[in-house]
Amino acid sequence: MPYISIKTPKEISADKATEIKTMLGKAIEILPGKTERWLMVSFDKQDYIYFAGNNAPSAIIEVSLFGKADSGHYEKMTGEICEIISDKLDIPKNRIYVKYSETQNWGWNGSNF
């Protein structure tokens, strides 16, 4: 039940989105018990994102998951996400934030896990 939201002012083609989604589908396995089978990914085009006082290319990636992971897994996941976004969207790693949210209540198909 992981969800990854990518917010950036960069244009992302359908082909590029599919490529990033596939790479994130492999990366999500860094987190114990998570697989692409349950992964949802969204791409949100933002007109403006200002970071460090300017609007040079940047991104914020939000990773939400049912349950918890330890800091070591998050550290490794952050490295992988930054590598993917930097490589595929040409955004410097030092202009990418990754935010994690854990939840105990996650609904799907009319009920909660």
Side-chain angles (χ1 to χ4, degrees):
M1 290 54 53
Y3 167 66
I4 300 176
S5 172
I6 300 165
K7 296 177 183 173
T8 181
K10 299 277 293 211
E11 291 289 334
I12 303 172
S13 69
D15 289 342
K16 188 68 70 172
T18 299
E19 190 175 1
I20 292 168
K21 181 271 314 169
T22 299
M23 295 176 84
L24 290 172
K26 291 180 179 130
I28 200 67
E29 294 178 3
I30 291 168
L31 302 178
K34 306 304 176 195
T35 66
E36 185 178 22
R37 182 182 188 295
W38 293 100
L39 176 63
M40 182 180 282
V41 178
S42 69
F43 297 86
D44 301 317
K45 170 86 167 73
Q46 304 292 305
D47 288 331
Y48 303 99
I49 294 181
Y50 290 90
F51 178 60
N54 64 65
N55 65 345
S58 59
I60 180 154
I61 317 302
E62 297 181 58
V63 180
S64 301
L65 66 139
F66 178 66
K68 297 182 179 245
D70 64 43
S71 61
H73 288 106
Y74 287 142
E75 182 79 21
K76 189 171 180 184
M77 185 70 180
T78 296
E80 192 66 23
I81 288 171
C82 287
E83 187 67 36
I84 291 166
I85 299 304
S86 178
D87 181 54
K88 298 303 173 190
L89 298 181
D90 198 30
I91 297 173
K93 291 178 188 177
N94 67 351
R95 294 198 54 88
I96 300 170
Y97 272 162
V98 182
K99 177 185 176 235
Y100 295 93
S101 301
E102 300 172 340
T103 184
Q104 292 181 331
N105 299 293
W106 198 285
W108 170 75
N109 196 24
S111 63
N112 286 353
F113 290 98

